Amino acid sequence: MIRTGLSALLILGTWATAGLVPAAAAPSAPSSPRSEAPASAGLLSAMQKDLGLTKSQAEARLAAEKTATAVDGKARRAAGSSYGGSWFDADSGTLTVAVSSAGKAEAVRATGATVRLVQHSARQLDAAKARIDALSAPAGVASWHVDPKANTVVVNVVAAQKSDNDVRSFLTRARQAGPVTVEETAAAPRTFAAGTVGGDPYYTGNVRCSIGFSVHGGFVTAGHCGRAGAGVSGWDGSYIGNFQGSSFPDNDYAWVNVGSGWWTAPVVLGWGSVSDQLVRGSNEAPIGASICRSGSTTHWRCGNLLAKNETVNYSQGAVHQMTKTSVCAEGGDSGGSFISGDQAQGVTSGGWGNCSSGGETWYQPVNEILSRYGLTLHTA
């Protein structure tokens, strides 16, 4: 229960993350040797439950994902302008890198990555997506992102509205922007804020959200949870601080200063279902990697990283540069943390579905938030 989790967090001196189920966060610099520490029993247990893995399979996957993350950066540099994106395959434990020039294949292969030749470079696909970003999307269009494996821009359309005239018109214009593939999704995305409920992590006005990662001087969270200047109180009703910066839509990030007896620590609350997680780094995980989320409503959940740099079309407006996952979430989980292994990834924004029937959830990458506000993550 929440009281147990909060007590453990206070003992560790981490109050900014109190009332929260975030994940591991850290600076954008490469992780230190301490990240070699074995995965916690709680993380392994959550991966076994949500991903259907054995303990040894979960350990092997985390190790392979860590290697893939390191290889990805080297492969991107080796590919240069022909880089077409990358993705991790959980079955083989390998990273595949797409290149649009056969002349770069050997150099990329030398980094340890598997190579696939494609027609379009990531730069070309990103340019096509940017042209689609400039269009006005109807409610029946859920999101769109560059899919390196398909080597196209994938536009996700709500299945029940695929025949809508406005949706069809949007798709016609999208196809003129570049290579496009259309896929169906079950429902439109929505944000995961919630009305006030007693005993939960933090409040602004009548909205409850989840605290994200601790930074020096405060914490980061979702922008739709509050506007700049809004006051924030904790689960016990005591004053924490104010939103110092907030952006939504277009982005979905914010940060809150911490004071009045509250403090920060590099810990992600485990809610008693998993052990509290230390924050060690923020190296970006590749597409296909496992990822876990912590939030005040549905606590600790895991899934897979499905897509990056996706534009999500909420009813309040489009949000750009989001990452899509197969992890479920519900109202009140907004702002909570996403983690891959011991590396912070981002703060929960929104999605569709729930944790009974399943769904998809997007997060805003944490490194972008740190860069935007000049913040430094509090790390172990």
Side-chain angles (χ1 to χ4, degrees):
M1 292 297 293
I2 183 170
R3 290 290 183 266
T4 303
L6 291 174
S7 299
L9 201 56
L10 285 168
I11 292 171
L12 291 169
T14 170
W15 186 231
T17 40
L20 175 68
V21 181
S28 46
S31 57
S32 69
R34 285 175 295 176
S35 62
E36 297 294 336
S40 71
L43 174 59
L44 294 174
S45 175
M47 291 180 68
Q48 291 174 67
K49 175 179 178 292
D50 291 338
L51 297 176
L53 304 174
T54 65
K55 180 182 178 182
S56 61
Q57 288 173 332
E59 290 173 332
R61 179 160 177 175
L62 287 173
E65 290 172 352
K66 183 173 183 180
T67 298
T69 298
V71 168
D72 195 25
K74 298 176 184 177
R76 182 189 295 261
R77 290 189 292 272
S81 61
S82 73
Y83 178 76
S86 64
W87 58 93
F88 175 79
D89 181 78
D91 292 332
S92 64
T94 59
L95 181 80
T96 298
V97 174
V99 295
S100 59
S101 172
K104 293 290 187 179
E106 193 55 40
V108 173
R109 196 172 287 115
T111 67
T114 298
V115 175
R116 178 183 293 181
L117 288 176
V118 295
Q119 182 178 357
H120 308 288
S121 69
R123 184 176 301 174
Q124 292 171 323
L125 294 175
D126 287 341
K129 179 182 175 293
R131 289 189 285 271
I132 298 174
D133 283 344
L135 303 177
S136 178
V141 177
S143 63
W144 53 96
H145 69 275
V146 170
D147 183 344
K149 194 171 184 178
N151 200 228
T152 65
V153 178
V154 173
V155 178
N156 296 288
V157 174
V158 178
Q161 300 181 53
K162 63 181 180 180
S163 298
D164 180 83
N165 287 336
D166 289 340
V167 170
R168 295 168 66 181
S169 176
F170 177 87
L171 293 177
T172 297
R173 288 176 290 153
R175 291 188 176 99
Q176 294 170 353
V180 163
T181 299
V182 178
E183 294 184 359
E184 294 182 9
T185 186
R190 59 184 175 83
T191 55
F192 285 129
T196 300
V197 177
D200 287 300
Y202 85 86
Y203 307 95
T204 177
N206 66 343
V207 172
R208 169 173 62 85
C209 283
S210 299
I211 297 171
F213 298 105
S214 289
V215 298
H216 290 288
F219 64 83
V220 294
T221 188
H224 70 264
C225 291
R227 297 189 178 278
V232 172
S233 59
W235 64 272
D236 61 351
S238 66
Y239 173 75
I240 298 177
N242 296 79
F243 279 85
Q244 299 298 301
S246 178
S247 179
F248 179 79
D250 187 26
N251 305 293
D252 193 7
Y253 51 58
W255 82 281
V256 175
N257 69 317
V258 167
S260 303
W262 293 65
W263 64 89
T264 67
V267 174
V268 173
L269 186 64
W271 295 94
S273 58
V274 301
S275 59
D276 293 345
Q277 305 290 306
L278 287 176
V279 174
R280 297 190 185 279
S282 61
N283 293 325
E284 187 178 333
I287 293 171
S290 63
I291 194 163
C292 296
R293 180 195 59 73
S294 181
S296 61
T297 299
T298 58
H299 301 173
W300 192 274
R301 303 284 176 160
C302 296
N304 296 306
L305 198 157
L306 302 177
K308 297 183 181 182
N309 191 24
E310 182 152 25
T311 299
V312 179
N313 191 35
Y314 292 130
S315 61
Q316 300 93 328
V319 176
H320 304 92
Q321 296 179 309
M322 302 269 272
T323 299
K324 179 164 68 175
T325 75
S326 64
V327 187
C328 68
E330 296 180 10
D333 285 327
S334 282
S337 312
F338 267 89
I339 181 174
S340 178
D342 58 7
Q343 301 296 301
Q345 301 298 308
V347 299
T348 302
S349 174
W352 63 269
N354 55 51
C355 288
S356 296
S357 59
E360 293 176 335
T361 302
W362 285 265
Y363 66 79
Q364 186 91 66
V366 69
N367 288 333
E368 180 184 356
I369 308 173
L370 301 179
S371 176
R372 168 63 179 83
Y373 295 119
L375 301 171
T376 301
L377 280 165
H378 194 165
T379 60

